[in-house]
Amino acid sequence: MNTDKPSRRTQVLIIGGGPSGLLLSQLLERSGIETVILERRSREYVLGRIRAGVLESGTVELLREAGVGERMDREGLVHEGIYLAVSNRGFRIDFKHHTGGTVRVYGQTELTRDLYRARDAMGGTILHEVDQVRIEDADSGSPRVSFRHEGRERRVECDFVAGCDGFHGVGRQTIPADVRREFERVYPFGWLGLLSPTPPVSEELIYASHERGFALCSMRNPNLSRYYLQVPLDDATENWPDAVFWDELKCRIPRDAAESIVTGASIEKSIAPLRSFVAEPMRWGRLFLCGDAAHIVPPTGAKGLNLAASDVYYLWQALKQHYLDREDEGIDTYSARALARVWKAERFSWSMTRLLHRFPDQSDFDRRMQQAELEYLETSVAAQASLAENYIGLPY
Ligand code: APR
Ligand code: PHB
């Protein structure tokens, strides 16, 4: 699209150049549907984000369909299970045995890089460092998006607007307050994350529940490890020099892992809050919300990126049906269809968070309930099969 003129037109205007926006644009353009992406940040900033990359099989299939699966297939790590640990004693949940399925570990940063490369290869229009984005007449037949770019006021007329602009974006706020319903739970703790250029302590992820708090051992690749500790909401990274972090992690994970872990200097350390959030509906007129714009999950279930992928799949199919088949059943059912899967993933993520973390206001009874549920999980095939089918991803 030539953006030299103040006002131009496209078919689908996508706000947000994160995983949701990039993947939706890539799939639509491969279906012959024109898009423009407006991104608030620079490409370097977007690619500098450190985020989890545990991909469900549905996400893997969709990335291959989008033509960006080659490096993921080559470099991604196929995981057939995870470990849970209770008070330093671990047990494995075997996805392959219970479901026949697996997940793939491939950093979201790399996935975003692959999507940018694919968009560039197709000559995609991505405007970075835009601001003052405003969605106008979304509930009419001809929505418009105004914004400033390179010091000039611009406007794009379009058929549809995709709000792929994350939790703090403008998309969700465009849906009138009397139309929108929001559901939220903010957790009374955060995750202190550390990235280290060291080999992972285990070939598969370890989710550890401990009296001192939750811990997670993950990775990005065979030479880059990612670790997390549950910390109080008012904690700060300054309180956690590397040596203190490593010592605390060793207290919370299984003994064999604590004895074998390779520690090293951190290359990134940050604290993130945990929240469960859903906004309904995910459609208003010709505006559709995808990904973090509509919902947030605590990272305990590794669902954030995977929910963005299923939203994108549903919207891609709906818009393809509109343009190619002149049918609007997909558009009309998009919100209900996406939310049905979102709420199941919200439940799983909330359940895993409630099970594995120490809550400050936890009663002795609550603690016994956690311990009983963890013992049930360790000894029940049915309980492990249930966790496995949710972790690898429920069907689209
Ligand atoms: N105008 C343009 N771009 C915007 C605006 C705006 N008003 N507001 C936000 N953005 C951009 C952000 O800079 C970001 O790059 O929208 C993008 C939204 O990307 P994400 O927040 O990554 O959300 P999403 O693409 O849905 O991906 C979800 O990312 O946050 C993780 O855990 C989450 O893994 C999940 C995935
Ligand atoms: C991560 O590798 O950052 C990660 C993995 C699994 C999670 C959360 C984060 O559940």
Side-chain angles (χ1 to χ4, degrees), residues 23 26-27 30 61-69 115 118 122:
L23 181 55
Q26 181 65 8
L27 288 162
R30 284 169 62 96
E61 285 310 312
L62 193 60
L63 292 167
R64 289 175 180 149
E65 174 71 34
V68 294
L115 282 166
M122 288 183 69

Side-chain angles (χ1 to χ4, degrees), residues 31-300:
S31 299
I33 299 165
E34 186 191 78
T35 68
V36 168
I37 296 178
L38 303 182
E39 167 53 50
R40 175 162 63 183
R41 302 289 190 174
S42 68
R43 180 176 293 206
E44 294 68 33
Y45 185 97
V46 174
L47 289 171
R49 292 172 177 147
I50 306 282
R51 283 182 181 153
V54 176
L55 309 183
E56 297 172 350
S57 52
T59 304
V60 169
E61 285 310 312
L62 193 60
L63 292 167
R64 289 175 180 149
E65 174 71 34
V68 294
E70 190 268 333
R71 193 159 72 104
M72 171 193 65
D73 283 328
R74 191 174 67 247
E75 298 178 7
L77 306 170
V78 177
H79 283 199
E80 298 188 354
I82 56 171
Y83 286 93
L84 292 182
V86 183
S87 306
N88 306 104
R89 191 187 74 256
F91 61 95
R92 186 164 181 267
I93 306 284
D94 187 337
F95 302 150
K96 195 85 172 175
H97 170 71
H98 292 296
T99 70
T102 61
V103 294
R104 194 173 293 250
V105 174
Y106 185 63
Q108 183 174 305
T109 306
E110 299 318 309
L111 166 59
T112 307
R113 196 185 313 280
D114 295 344
L115 282 166
Y116 265 123
R117 283 183 186 141
R119 290 287 55 238
D120 292 346
M122 288 183 69
T125 303
I126 307 176
L127 302 185
H128 284 95
E129 297 180 289
V130 305
D131 64 8
Q132 298 177 29
V133 174
R134 301 176 305 283
I135 304 169
E136 296 150 7
D137 296 334
D139 59 339
S140 76
S142 49
R144 292 188 313 281
V145 177
S146 301
F147 57 98
R148 288 188 61 78
H149 184 240
E150 293 173 347
R152 294 184 55 198
E153 184 68 30
R154 286 184 164 82
R155 193 175 66 224
V156 176
E157 297 176 355
C158 51
D159 298 335
F160 299 101
V161 180
C164 300
D165 47 354
F167 185 66
H168 301 288
V170 66
R172 185 175 70 251
Q173 304 306 328
T174 301
I175 300 179
D178 62 346
V179 173
R180 206 166 72 224
R181 283 197 68 192
E182 297 186 351
F183 307 81
E184 184 173 53
R185 166 160 297 189
V186 177
Y187 296 89
F189 40 76
W191 277 19
L192 166 64
L194 178 145
L195 195 63
S196 63
T198 54
V201 68
S202 162
E203 285 195 357
E204 294 175 333
L205 276 58
I206 303 174
Y207 290 79
S209 170
H210 193 277
E211 289 298 325
R212 299 171 70 98
F214 171 80
L216 171 60
C217 302
S218 183
M219 77 276 301
R220 292 288 176 270
N221 61 52
N223 303 302
L224 192 59
S225 297
R226 181 69 169 168
Y227 295 103
Y228 295 95
L229 292 175
Q230 172 188 346
V231 294
L233 264 181
D234 60 359
D235 210 335
T237 52
E238 294 70 29
N239 303 331
W240 293 90
D242 289 0
V244 173
F245 182 96
W246 293 122
D247 287 347
E248 183 60 31
L249 181 68
K250 291 175 184 175
C251 291
R252 300 187 187 184
I253 61 179
R255 295 203 200 299
D256 59 339
E259 287 160 7
S260 63
I261 193 169
V262 176
T263 63
S266 61
I267 53 178
E268 192 272 347
K269 206 183 292 177
S270 54
I271 295 179
L274 276 70
R275 175 197 315 268
S276 296
F277 175 87
V278 179
E280 296 181 353
M282 289 176 58
R283 177 219 179 167
W284 185 60
R286 289 184 166 239
L287 167 64
F288 298 89
L289 304 183
C290 279
D292 278 15
H295 41 74
I296 297 289
V297 282
T300 329

